[in-house]
Protein backbone atom coordinates (compact mmCIF):
# COMPACT_ATOMS: atom_id res chain seq x y z
CA UNK A 1 0.00 0.00 0.00
CA UNK A 2 3.05 2.23 0.39
CA UNK A 3 2.95 3.27 -3.27
CA UNK A 4 -0.58 4.66 -2.84
CA UNK A 5 0.50 7.38 -0.45
CA UNK A 6 0.74 11.00 -1.52
CA UNK A 7 -1.33 11.14 -4.68
CA UNK A 8 -4.94 11.02 -5.79
CA UNK A 9 -6.26 7.50 -5.92
CA UNK A 10 -8.23 6.01 -8.78
CA UNK A 11 -11.31 4.15 -7.63
CA UNK A 12 -13.35 1.55 -9.47
CA UNK A 13 -16.87 0.70 -8.29
CA UNK A 14 -18.29 -2.76 -9.03
CA UNK A 15 -22.07 -3.12 -9.29
CA UNK A 16 -24.67 -5.68 -10.29
CA UNK A 17 -28.06 -3.99 -10.08
CA UNK A 18 -29.88 -0.96 -8.75
CA UNK A 19 -26.72 1.04 -8.00
CA UNK A 20 -28.08 3.26 -5.24
CA UNK A 21 -24.76 3.01 -3.35
CA UNK A 22 -22.94 3.93 -6.54
CA UNK A 23 -25.16 6.99 -6.89
CA UNK A 24 -24.47 8.07 -3.31
CA UNK A 25 -20.72 7.69 -3.94
CA UNK A 26 -20.94 9.73 -7.15
CA UNK A 27 -22.81 12.46 -5.26
CA UNK A 28 -20.24 12.37 -2.48
CA UNK A 29 -17.35 12.59 -4.96
CA UNK A 30 -18.73 15.97 -6.07
CA UNK A 31 -18.55 17.49 -2.60
CA UNK A 32 -15.70 19.96 -2.14
CA UNK A 33 -12.57 18.35 -0.69
CA UNK A 34 -13.89 14.83 -1.22
CA UNK A 35 -11.05 12.40 -1.79
CA UNK A 36 -13.34 10.04 -3.68
CA UNK A 37 -12.55 10.00 -7.39
CA UNK A 38 -14.45 7.40 -9.40
CA UNK A 39 -12.62 6.46 -12.58
CA UNK A 40 -14.25 3.23 -13.66
CA UNK A 41 -17.44 1.27 -13.14
CA UNK A 42 -17.65 -2.47 -13.68
CA UNK A 43 -20.98 -4.27 -13.96
CA UNK A 44 -21.60 -7.97 -14.51
CA UNK A 45 -25.14 -7.12 -15.62
CA UNK A 46 -25.97 -5.15 -18.74
CA UNK A 47 -29.41 -4.31 -17.30
CA UNK A 48 -27.99 -2.80 -14.11
CA UNK A 49 -29.76 0.46 -13.36
CA UNK A 50 -26.50 1.74 -11.94
CA UNK A 51 -25.10 1.95 -15.47
CA UNK A 52 -27.47 4.85 -16.11
CA UNK A 53 -25.68 6.79 -13.36
CA UNK A 54 -22.35 6.02 -15.03
CA UNK A 55 -23.63 7.33 -18.37
CA UNK A 56 -25.26 10.41 -16.88
CA UNK A 57 -22.08 11.33 -15.00
CA UNK A 58 -19.77 10.47 -17.89
CA UNK A 59 -17.85 7.85 -15.93
CA UNK A 60 -16.18 5.13 -17.95
CA UNK A 61 -17.85 1.71 -17.54
CA UNK A 62 -17.49 -1.86 -18.74
CA UNK A 63 -20.10 -4.62 -18.78
CA UNK A 64 -18.52 -7.99 -18.11
CA UNK A 65 -19.99 -11.29 -19.25
CA UNK A 66 -19.57 -13.52 -16.22
CA UNK A 67 -20.58 -16.83 -17.84
CA UNK A 68 -16.92 -17.86 -17.63
CA UNK A 69 -15.59 -16.54 -14.32
CA UNK A 70 -11.86 -16.87 -14.98
CA UNK A 71 -12.10 -15.10 -18.32
CA UNK A 72 -14.33 -12.44 -16.81
CA UNK A 73 -11.88 -11.77 -13.98
CA UNK A 74 -8.91 -11.60 -16.36
CA UNK A 75 -10.76 -9.08 -18.48
CA UNK A 76 -11.54 -6.98 -15.41
CA UNK A 77 -7.89 -7.13 -14.28
CA UNK A 78 -6.90 -5.78 -17.70
CA UNK A 79 -9.30 -2.83 -17.37
CA UNK A 80 -8.10 -2.14 -13.83
CA UNK A 81 -4.49 -2.08 -14.96
CA UNK A 82 -5.24 0.09 -17.97
CA UNK A 83 -7.04 2.64 -15.79
CA UNK A 84 -4.42 2.46 -13.01
CA UNK A 85 -7.03 1.59 -10.42
CA UNK A 86 -5.77 1.77 -6.83
CA UNK A 87 -8.91 0.80 -4.94
CA UNK A 88 -11.96 -1.30 -5.76
CA UNK A 89 -15.24 -0.64 -3.95
CA UNK A 90 -17.86 -3.36 -4.28
CA UNK A 91 -21.30 -1.77 -4.13
CA UNK A 92 -23.96 -4.42 -4.49
CA UNK A 93 -21.66 -6.57 -6.64
CA UNK A 94 -23.22 -10.00 -6.35
CA UNK A 95 -20.31 -12.09 -7.65
CA UNK A 96 -17.66 -13.54 -5.38
CA UNK A 97 -14.14 -12.52 -6.40
CA UNK A 98 -11.71 -15.44 -6.56
CA UNK A 99 -8.65 -15.48 -4.31
CA UNK A 100 -6.59 -15.46 -7.50
CA UNK A 101 -8.21 -12.16 -8.53
CA UNK A 102 -7.68 -10.63 -5.08
CA UNK A 103 -4.01 -11.69 -5.14
CA UNK A 104 -3.39 -10.45 -8.67
CA UNK A 105 -5.04 -7.05 -8.11
CA UNK A 106 -2.68 -6.41 -5.16
CA UNK A 107 -4.41 -3.19 -4.00
CA UNK A 108 -7.21 -2.97 -1.42
CA UNK A 109 -10.80 -3.97 -2.11
CA UNK A 110 -13.68 -2.70 0.05
CA UNK A 111 -17.21 -4.06 0.29
CA UNK A 112 -20.45 -2.87 1.85
CA UNK A 113 -22.55 -5.57 3.45
CA UNK A 114 -26.10 -5.18 4.79
CA UNK A 115 -25.63 -6.64 8.28
CA UNK A 116 -23.66 -6.15 11.45
CA UNK A 117 -20.76 -8.39 10.49
CA UNK A 118 -19.60 -10.89 11.64
CA UNK A 119 -23.33 -11.64 11.90
CA UNK A 120 -25.06 -12.83 8.73
CA UNK A 121 -22.38 -13.25 6.11
CA UNK A 122 -23.70 -14.05 2.65
CA UNK A 123 -27.24 -13.54 1.41
CA UNK A 124 -30.71 -12.81 2.89
CA UNK A 125 -29.29 -10.85 5.80
CA UNK A 126 -32.54 -8.96 6.57
CA UNK A 127 -34.68 -12.10 6.49
CA UNK A 128 -32.33 -13.83 8.92
CA UNK A 129 -32.27 -10.83 11.29
CA UNK A 130 -36.11 -10.69 11.34
CA UNK A 131 -36.47 -14.47 11.75
CA UNK A 132 -34.04 -14.43 14.66
CA UNK A 133 -35.97 -11.56 16.25
CA UNK A 134 -32.81 -9.47 16.47
CA UNK A 135 -33.14 -6.07 18.11
CA UNK A 136 -30.52 -4.43 15.91
CA UNK A 137 -29.28 -4.58 12.38
CA UNK A 138 -27.03 -2.34 10.31
CA UNK A 139 -24.40 -2.19 7.64
CA UNK A 140 -20.66 -2.82 7.54
CA UNK A 141 -17.85 -1.67 5.28
CA UNK A 142 -14.96 -4.11 5.35
CA UNK A 143 -11.84 -5.12 3.46
CA UNK A 144 -12.31 -8.00 1.05
CA UNK A 145 -10.26 -11.15 1.61
CA UNK A 146 -10.64 -14.60 0.04
CA UNK A 147 -12.89 -15.53 2.98
CA UNK A 148 -16.43 -14.26 2.31
CA UNK A 149 -17.48 -11.14 4.29
CA UNK A 150 -14.70 -11.71 6.82
CA UNK A 151 -12.07 -9.00 6.22
CA UNK A 152 -11.17 -6.22 8.61
CA UNK A 153 -14.04 -3.88 9.45
CA UNK A 154 -13.51 -0.25 8.45
CA UNK A 155 -16.82 1.20 9.67
CA UNK A 156 -20.12 -0.12 10.92
CA UNK A 157 -23.45 1.54 11.70
CA UNK A 158 -26.17 0.05 13.85
CA UNK A 159 -29.94 0.67 13.67
CA UNK A 160 -32.87 -0.57 15.72
CA UNK A 161 -35.22 -3.17 14.32
CA UNK A 162 -38.77 -2.34 15.33
CA UNK A 163 -41.39 -4.99 16.11
CA UNK A 164 -43.32 -4.11 12.96
CA UNK A 165 -40.33 -4.27 10.62
CA UNK A 166 -40.49 -6.73 7.75
CA UNK A 167 -37.64 -7.93 5.55
CA UNK A 168 -38.64 -5.17 3.10
CA UNK A 169 -38.88 -2.28 5.56
CA UNK A 170 -35.64 -3.32 7.22
CA UNK A 171 -33.84 -3.49 3.86
CA UNK A 172 -35.04 0.05 3.15
CA UNK A 173 -33.85 1.36 6.52
CA UNK A 174 -30.44 -0.29 6.20
CA UNK A 175 -29.97 0.95 2.64
CA UNK A 176 -30.57 4.49 3.82
CA UNK A 177 -27.70 4.26 6.31
CA UNK A 178 -25.48 2.53 3.73
CA UNK A 179 -25.62 5.66 1.60
CA UNK A 180 -23.89 7.66 4.35
CA UNK A 181 -21.73 4.86 5.70
CA UNK A 182 -19.93 3.91 2.47
CA UNK A 183 -18.60 7.38 1.58
CA UNK A 184 -17.57 7.92 5.21
CA UNK A 185 -15.78 4.56 5.31
CA UNK A 186 -13.93 5.21 2.05
CA UNK A 187 -12.82 8.66 3.22
CA UNK A 188 -11.66 7.10 6.49
CA UNK A 189 -9.79 4.37 4.65
CA UNK A 190 -8.10 6.84 2.26
CA UNK A 191 -7.11 9.05 5.17
CA UNK A 192 -5.60 6.07 6.96
CA UNK A 193 -3.45 5.39 3.89
CA UNK A 194 -2.24 8.98 3.71
CA UNK A 195 -1.38 9.16 7.40
CA UNK A 196 -0.40 5.50 7.58
CA UNK A 197 -2.91 5.08 10.40
CA UNK A 198 -4.27 1.74 11.39
CA UNK A 199 -7.88 1.30 10.24
C1 LIG B 1 -26.91 -3.13 -0.76
O1 LIG B 1 -27.82 -3.29 0.30
C2 LIG B 1 -25.59 -3.80 -0.42
O2 LIG B 1 -25.24 -3.71 0.93
C3 LIG B 1 -25.90 -5.22 -0.80
O3 LIG B 1 -26.64 -5.14 -1.99
C4 LIG B 1 -27.37 -3.92 -1.99
C5 LIG B 1 -27.05 -3.21 -3.28
O4 LIG B 1 -27.89 -2.08 -3.44
N1 LIG B 1 -24.68 -5.98 -0.96
C6 LIG B 1 -24.60 -7.26 -0.67
O5 LIG B 1 -25.52 -7.92 -0.24
C7 LIG B 1 -23.23 -7.87 -0.92
N2 LIG B 1 -23.10 -9.10 -0.23
P1 LIG B 1 -27.54 -0.98 -4.53
O6 LIG B 1 -27.29 -1.71 -5.85
O7 LIG B 1 -28.77 -0.12 -4.59
O8 LIG B 1 -26.32 -0.24 -4.07
Amino acid sequence: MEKLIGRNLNISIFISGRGSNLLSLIKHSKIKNSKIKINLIISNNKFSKGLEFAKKNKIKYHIIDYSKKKQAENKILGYLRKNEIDLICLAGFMKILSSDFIKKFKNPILNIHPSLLPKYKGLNTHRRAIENKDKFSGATVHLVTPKLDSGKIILQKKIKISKIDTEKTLAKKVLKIEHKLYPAAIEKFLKSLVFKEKV
Side-chain angles (χ1 to χ4, degrees):
M1 265 185 231
E2 200 75 9
K3 74 182 176 77
L4 302 183
I5 295 164
R7 64 174 172 88
N8 278 347
L9 299 191
N10 298 329
I11 300 178
S12 176
I13 314 283
F14 285 25
I15 57 169
S16 292
R18 181 178 49 194
S20 71
N21 274 292
L22 167 66
L23 182 61
S24 92
L25 291 172
I26 292 174
K27 282 186 182 156
H28 190 91
S29 71
K30 293 179 179 169
I31 296 171
K32 204 175 162 222
N33 295 332
S34 169
K35 297 269 178 292
I36 296 177
K37 187 171 152 248
I38 304 168
N39 297 67
L40 179 68
I41 291 161
I42 297 287
S43 174
N44 66 302
N45 170 13
K46 65 177 173 188
F47 300 113
S48 164
K49 192 167 179 280
L51 289 172
E52 287 170 28
F53 307 133
K55 288 176 202 161
K56 221 182 242 169
N57 289 279
K58 299 189 171 48
I59 302 171
K60 199 190 280 185
Y61 65 88
H62 290 291
I63 299 160
I64 306 292
D65 171 10
Y66 241 82
S67 52
K68 286 186 183 133
K69 184 167 173 160
K70 203 168 171 54
Q71 281 179 16
E73 288 195 338
N74 281 337
K75 206 162 194 183
I76 297 174
L77 282 167
Y79 290 134
L80 297 173
R81 250 177 249 125
K82 197 170 158 204
N83 290 279
E84 300 182 333
I85 298 299
D86 301 298
L87 174 69
I88 295 173
C89 296
L90 308 180
F93 185 66
M94 302 314 272
K95 296 284 177 192
I96 294 172
L97 297 171
S98 70
S99 48
D100 196 44
F101 177 95
I102 296 169
K103 214 187 293 162
K104 281 184 181 155
F105 176 58
K106 292 192 181 83
N107 290 335
I109 305 175
L110 298 180
N111 180 42
I112 186 153
H113 185 76
S115 80
L116 292 173
L117 287 174
K119 238 182 170 182
Y120 308 133
K121 296 170 183 173
L123 298 175
N124 305 316
T125 56
H126 307 305
R127 191 186 311 160
R128 288 190 277 163
I130 297 275
E131 279 172 2
N132 288 336
K133 300 194 173 14
D134 286 358
K135 290 202 165 48
F136 296 96
S137 182
T140 307
V141 176
H142 65 95
L143 275 164
V144 171
T145 64
K147 213 166 157 212
L148 184 71
D149 298 331
S150 299
K152 191 179 173 67
I153 291 174
I154 308 295
L155 220 53
Q156 192 168 63
K157 171 98 179 154
K158 199 171 172 181
I159 53 157
K160 250 191 165 154
I161 303 179
S162 85
K163 287 207 173 75
I164 55 165
D165 266 327
T166 61
E167 186 180 346
K168 210 169 156 192
T169 60
L170 180 59
K172 208 170 157 191
K173 275 190 196 170
V174 171
L175 192 65
K176 199 170 165 202
I177 61 163
E178 287 185 38
H179 295 158
K180 285 202 173 133
L181 185 73
Y182 212 179
I186 297 172
E187 294 282 3
K188 181 184 175 198
F189 185 69
L190 296 179
K191 193 168 162 255
S192 78
L193 293 181
V194 172
F195 294 107
K196 296 189 198 174
E197 284 167 1
K198 280 201 173 128
V199 281

